[in-house]
Amino acid sequence: AQDPESLLISASRALKLERYEAAAEMFDELYRKNPRDARILMGRAVALQKTGRPEAALSTYEDLLRIDPDNTEALVNMMGLLRGQY
């Protein structure tokens, strides 16, 4: 098993390489261990969004914004998802 920082780096790299399913799995594993880390929440939300799971992505963005209410990227992504729903 990888240490959390290494797994976070791998998950972030998977996102950049557009390997969204792999990234989502890694971020889910990290999330189970630390559900209040803003980096994990952001990566998980993006991965969920990219894998076509908008409800889960929205929920994760909400969790992130409770921890980091000034996160502009999370807010913009969340608004984009909401716009797509309505």
Side-chain angles (χ1 to χ4, degrees):
Q2 292 181 316
D3 69 275
E5 284 302 314
S6 296
L7 188 55
L8 181 61
I9 290 167
S10 295
S12 298
R13 188 172 296 133
L15 262 184
K16 287 179 185 163
L17 294 173
E18 298 180 4
R19 297 185 60 211
Y20 301 124
E21 286 294 336
E25 289 176 21
M26 288 184 263
F27 278 115
D28 281 345
E29 182 180 336
L30 287 162
Y31 177 75
R32 284 190 291 277
K33 295 175 184 173
N34 190 354
R36 295 193 48 82
D37 184 313
R39 301 169 303 165
I40 293 169
L41 288 167
M42 187 65 192
R44 182 173 189 257
V46 170
L48 290 168
Q49 185 174 355
K50 295 290 189 177
T51 56
R53 294 179 265 184
E55 295 300 322
L58 280 172
S59 176
T60 305
Y61 284 127
E62 288 171 354
D63 291 345
L64 174 57
L65 289 169
R66 278 196 273 302
I67 294 168
D68 182 7
D70 297 326
N71 189 317
T72 307
E73 184 180 0
L75 190 57
V76 168
N77 290 356
M78 187 176 173
M79 292 298 124
L81 278 172
L82 289 170
R83 186 187 68 196
Q85 286 184 340
Y86 296 103

